[in-house]
Amino acid sequence: MTAPAVLAALASPRRQEILRLIWSEERTAGAIHRAMPDVTFGAVSLQLRSLTEAGLAESRAEGRHRFYRARREALGPLGRMLEQMWDDALWRLKLAAELEHTRRGPRPRRRTVKARKG
Amino acid sequence: MTAPAVLAALASPRRQEILRLIWSEERTAGAIHRAMPDVTFGAVSLQLRSLTEAGLAESRAEGRHRFYRARREALGPLGRMLEQMWDDALWRLKLAAELEHTRRGPRPRRRTVKARKG
DNA sequence: ATGATATTTTAGATATAACTAAAATAAAAG
DNA sequence: CTTTTATTTTAGTTATATCTAAAATATCAT
């Protein structure tokens, strides 16, 4: 629940993937796992714990199932940013374009060619 | 410049520390390093590179110095969030309070005490 | 109780990130 | 050219995160 913890939680692509799945509807841990078959159930469970501890997800138990959902309120403006990121492909392009003018370029090419021993 | 890269860049406390230093005024790499003596100059330089590659910082050379500054525009609403985080101690408290009602509690105390072998 | 399903937790392996020390690059000054 | 100051880069180490496999916990059904 410390400030960087929220950002750290969002930093992992895996956790973002999960957050996206539970963004607009709650899902059971199993359903989430089924949506990402390249990883173990245990791994998903651990990430769900991270998200919960960071305050980005919450869960409710029902029988032997546990339903998870995102805590969108806890994210504030960040939530809207994520939504944009997800369904607005332009976001990436815009950022990339903005970067162009800053880039230090592909190896500025040294001007003074000093003698090398050997 | 990929989307999670921005968040990943912000996730590290070290990079946040640096970003904060260059938020409202540009500083040389050396000045930044002097502000965090627990770490090597080389380490600071690497983090500056990360920030630059993520689009969160930019630099200009002047003689043998290099001045760094944050690219606040690139962060959008996230920038304002960071500012709040930094000079508004309430942010942390508010988030912590919000979390209270979600917490799965400190070990829910098992009800059925099953026999253990041994 | 026993067995099946759903999920969490633990211990240990592997991948990724961050750091250090030293070498390399670059500009300024002698 | 040599030395000094400022910074970057590289190679290798250490720390942290993430994953797997197996065991543990919990609920439901029989």
Side-chain angles (χ1 to χ4, degrees):
Chain A
M1 70 306 216
T2 144
V6 173
L7 294 166
L10 288 175
S12 144
R14 183 71 69 190
R15 280 190 296 269
Q16 271 201 38
E17 198 183 353
I18 293 176
L19 203 61
R20 193 179 185 173
L21 282 168
I22 60 175
W23 192 250
S24 31
E25 48 178 342
E26 62 178 11
R27 288 180 203 272
T28 66
I32 295 165
H33 174 227
R34 259 168 262 129
M36 36 182 77
D38 57 316
V39 89
T40 302
F41 200 161
V44 171
S45 186
L46 287 171
Q47 297 290 32
L48 283 169
R49 178 156 70 160
S50 295
L51 285 168
T52 303
E53 281 172 354
L56 304 187
E58 62 189 347
S59 63
R60 106 192 133 80
E62 190 181 301
R64 40 186 163 177
H65 293 279
R66 184 172 280 275
F67 287 88
Y68 283 88
R69 62 183 169 282
R71 293 195 64 236
R72 296 156 65 148
E73 340 79 68
L75 281 167
L78 249 167
R80 260 163 288 149
M81 205 196 75
L82 285 174
E83 285 177 339
Q84 276 190 331
M85 257 173 50
W86 289 333
D87 49 48
D88 188 7
L90 255 63
W91 195 89
R92 243 160 300 186
L93 298 172
K94 180 170 162 286
L95 187 56
E98 269 181 299
L99 283 176
E100 279 313 310
H101 91 282
T102 316
R103 275 283 171 57
R104 287 226 305 301
R107 270 182 264 154
R109 210 147 54 319
R110 55 180 87 109
R111 262 178 298 173
T112 56
V113 184
K114 278 197 167 180
R116 260 189 284 175
K117 78 173 178 185
Chain B
M1 70 312 214
T2 144
V6 173
L7 294 167
L10 289 176
S12 141
R14 184 71 70 191
R15 281 191 296 270
Q16 271 199 38
E17 197 183 353
I18 293 177
L19 203 61
R20 191 178 187 174
L21 281 169
I22 60 176
W23 191 250
S24 33
E25 50 179 341
E26 61 179 12
R27 288 179 203 271
T28 66
I32 294 165
H33 175 227
R34 259 169 263 128
M36 37 184 77
D38 58 317
V39 90
T40 302
F41 200 160
V44 170
S45 186
L46 287 171
Q47 297 289 30
L48 283 169
R49 178 155 71 159
S50 294
L51 284 168
T52 303
E53 282 172 355
L56 303 188
E58 63 189 348
S59 62
R60 103 192 137 79
E62 190 182 301
R64 41 187 163 174
H65 293 279
R66 185 172 279 275
F67 287 86
Y68 283 88
R69 63 182 169 283
R71 293 194 63 237
R72 296 156 65 146
E73 341 78 70
L75 281 167
L78 249 168
R80 258 164 289 150
M81 206 197 74
L82 284 174
E83 285 177 338
Q84 277 191 329
M85 257 174 49
W86 288 332
D87 50 47
D88 189 6
L90 254 62
W91 194 89
R92 242 160 301 185
L93 297 173
K94 180 169 163 286
L95 188 54
E98 268 181 300
L99 284 176
E100 279 313 311
H101 91 282
T102 317
R103 276 286 172 56
R104 285 224 306 304
R107 272 182 263 153
R109 221 189 317 38
R110 55 180 89 109
R111 260 178 297 171
T112 56
V113 182
K114 278 195 167 178
R116 261 191 283 175
K117 78 173 178 185

